């Protein structure tokens, strides 16, 4: 990317991200049927930048959901960005993205997360360094195999136009990334995760990298909305509700301890309310909780929260 083309590319990415946020919020509000997302447009005096945070709380289906668009500029990238890329030290940067987390009320409906983002780091007299990142992942509490298979089928569809190796690569990266080291367990059943996507890492030009990021963003609602529609009205017990709140604690732990996006936002002086919108409004911790052997609660960690080839499982069942 030449410096003279940078602003044109940045504008194209911004326009896509804003349209993606609008589209996803419209689809989820329709699925909820009772509440809509409030719109909170913000800017920060301490930094150059701002964003639009959209939040739904206590809907008929969505207990807490946030869809955030943000854009920030700075003179130096924070340590969370330069730790594994020392060549970025001393460069100014622009960062933009859409990030969302949806926590349904019904324990049979899984929590979902999606993020797509673009970074560009510039230095006078040198070519800009740019990259895309993002992905989506699913965190069930009372999983259904058909949902897990479907989620990964759509993830694969998002990757197919870009090569056969893309889905397995970013599926494994997702499994590796969303892992709670202090608990020795995975957060959910995975999906896709990619970062540092540019011409150097993939051989793809800017246009193809941008197209891949858009494909991931566009396929999120195709993957999630049908699952939410199938599970949102299933009956559930207080025991299931209590277990859902307990497992949400794992979600909070990952976001506050391990998530690079959370660290980046806090280290760049981002808006705390928007950064932490991913946290559920109801959550519980219980000391040394152990589910009964053979129970649905035990099956979650014993079977579902293990990296596996969901697409192969689908083919085996069809045979």
């Amino acid at each position: 990317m030449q410096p003279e083309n940078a602003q044109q590319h940045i504008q194209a990415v911004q326009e896509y991200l804003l349209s993606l946020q609008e589209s996803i919020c419209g689809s989820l509000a329709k699925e909820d049927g009772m509440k809509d997302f409030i719109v909170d447009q913000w800017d920060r005096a301490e930094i150059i930048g701002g964003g639009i945070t959209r939040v739904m709380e206590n809907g008929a289906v969505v207990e807490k959901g946030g869809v955030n668009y943000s854009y920030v500029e700075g003179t130096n990238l924070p340590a969370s960005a330069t730790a594994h890329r020392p060549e970025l030290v001393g460069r100014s940067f622009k960062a933009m993205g859409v990030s969302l987390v949806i926590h349904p009320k019904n324990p049979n409906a899984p929590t979902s997360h999606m993020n797509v983002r673009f970074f560009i780091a510039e230095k006078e007299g040198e070519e800009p360094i740019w990259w895309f990142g993002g992905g989506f992942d699913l965190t069930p509490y009372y999983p259904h195999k058909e949902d897990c298979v479907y989620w990964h089928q759509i993830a694969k569809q998002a990757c197919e136009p870009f090569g056969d190796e893309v889905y397995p690569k970013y599926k494994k990266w997702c499994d590796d990334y969303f892992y709670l080291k202090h608990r020795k367990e995975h957060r959910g059943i995975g999906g896709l995760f990619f970062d540092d996507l540019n011409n150097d890492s993939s051989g793809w030009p800017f246009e193809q990298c941008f197209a891949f990021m858009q494909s991931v963003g566009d396929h999120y609602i195709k993957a999630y909305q049908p699952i939410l529609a199938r599970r949102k009205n299933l009956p559930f017990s207080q025991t299931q509700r209590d277990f859902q709140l307990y497992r949400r604690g794992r979600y909070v732990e990952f976001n506050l301890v391990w998530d690079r996006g959370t660290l980046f936002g806090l280290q760049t002086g981002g808006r705390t309310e928007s950064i932490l919108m991913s946290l559920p409004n109801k959550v519980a911790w219980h000391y040394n909780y152990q589910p009964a052997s053979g129970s649905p609660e035990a099956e979650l960690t014993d079977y579902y929260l293990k990296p596996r080839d969901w697409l192969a499982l689908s083919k085996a069942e069809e045979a």
Side-chain angles (χ1 to χ4, degrees):
M1 181 192 297
Q2 297 302 314
E4 59 269 21
N5 297 328
Q7 189 54 45
Q8 179 183 348
H9 290 318
I10 290 168
Q11 184 175 344
V13 174
Q14 285 180 302
E15 289 174 357
Y16 167 72
L17 293 173
L18 286 166
S19 69
L20 178 66
Q21 183 192 41
E22 180 77 24
S23 172
I24 289 173
C25 287
S27 295
L28 291 172
K30 183 178 179 182
E31 198 62 52
D32 186 87
M34 184 178 83
K35 286 283 190 79
D36 202 349
F37 287 82
I38 63 166
V39 179
D40 184 11
Q41 189 159 354
W42 54 273
D43 57 67
R44 296 299 301 270
E46 308 95 301
I47 59 172
I48 300 173
I52 302 171
T53 297
R54 297 185 179 221
V55 175
M56 181 189 295
E57 291 189 275
N58 301 314
V61 176
V62 178
E63 187 164 38
K64 171 77 177 295
V67 185
N68 189 50
Y69 163 79
S70 63
Y71 172 88
V72 296
E73 295 183 22
T75 54
N76 285 287
L77 280 157
S80 60
T82 59
H84 66 299
R85 298 193 66 169
E87 71 273 17
L88 300 176
V89 174
R91 286 177 174 259
S92 64
F93 73 94
K94 298 179 178 73
M96 62 212 71
V98 166
S99 181
L100 68 84
V101 176
I102 305 299
H103 296 286
K105 186 176 294 184
N106 193 314
N108 293 289
T111 288
S112 68
H113 161 256
M114 188 277 292
N115 169 267
V116 284
R117 57 193 178 273
F118 175 66
F119 291 79
I120 183 166
E122 299 173 282
K123 192 172 185 178
E124 190 173 349
E126 298 186 20
E127 270 196 46
I129 299 174
W130 56 269
W131 68 97
F132 290 93
F136 52 69
D137 61 283
L138 197 69
T139 303
Y141 307 101
Y142 288 91
H144 299 260
K145 285 183 182 177
E146 64 185 278
D147 294 346
C148 301
V149 169
Y150 176 76
W151 180 260
H152 280 274
Q153 286 173 336
I154 301 302
K156 186 172 185 292
Q157 287 178 19
C159 300
E160 280 176 340
F162 302 89
D164 293 340
E165 75 287 352
V166 175
Y167 166 75
K169 177 181 178 181
Y170 293 144
K171 189 258 187 205
K172 183 181 185 306
W173 200 346
C174 187
D175 289 335
D176 293 343
Y177 180 77
F178 291 105
Y179 180 72
L180 288 84
K181 297 177 185 176
H182 63 289
R183 296 286 191 181
K184 294 182 171 57
E185 65 184 39
H186 291 81
R187 188 172 83 173
I189 61 130
L192 300 171
F193 180 89
F194 67 100
D195 204 3
D196 300 321
L197 180 67
N198 58 20
N199 183 258
D200 292 337
S201 65
S202 67
W204 298 348
F206 173 88
E207 292 76 13
Q208 191 168 358
C209 293
F210 184 23
F212 179 72
M213 187 265 270
Q214 291 176 82
S215 184
V216 171
D218 293 344
H219 278 79
Y220 160 76
I221 202 68
K222 297 177 184 178
Y224 187 55
Q225 191 169 4
I227 296 173
L228 187 60
R230 283 197 294 269
R231 308 304 171 195
K232 65 181 182 180
N233 292 321
L234 291 181
F236 62 90
S237 66
Q238 186 60 46
T239 297
Q240 289 176 308
R241 173 64 168 165
D242 292 343
F243 183 69
Q244 176 198 41
L245 299 185
Y246 166 73
R247 288 301 308 182
R248 281 180 179 175
R250 298 292 202 268
Y251 212 94
V252 173
E253 290 175 23
F254 181 87
N255 279 25
L256 295 183
V257 177
W258 300 109
D259 187 66
R260 281 160 47 183
T262 301
L263 293 175
F264 178 84
L266 295 174
Q267 290 177 0
T268 54
R271 184 172 183 259
T272 303
E273 282 297 311
S274 298
I275 296 166
L276 299 183
M277 63 159 198
S278 62
L279 303 182
N281 52 4
K282 294 181 181 179
V283 62
W285 279 268
H286 301 288
Y287 178 74
N288 200 26
Y289 168 80
Q290 300 293 330
S293 178
S295 67
E297 292 78 16
E299 186 184 31
L300 174 67
T301 48
D302 292 346
Y303 179 81
Y304 285 94
L305 301 188
K306 311 282 187 187
R308 61 182 65 251
D309 186 346
W310 292 103
L311 300 182
L313 179 66
S314 172
K315 291 174 184 175
E317 290 183 349
E318 287 173 3

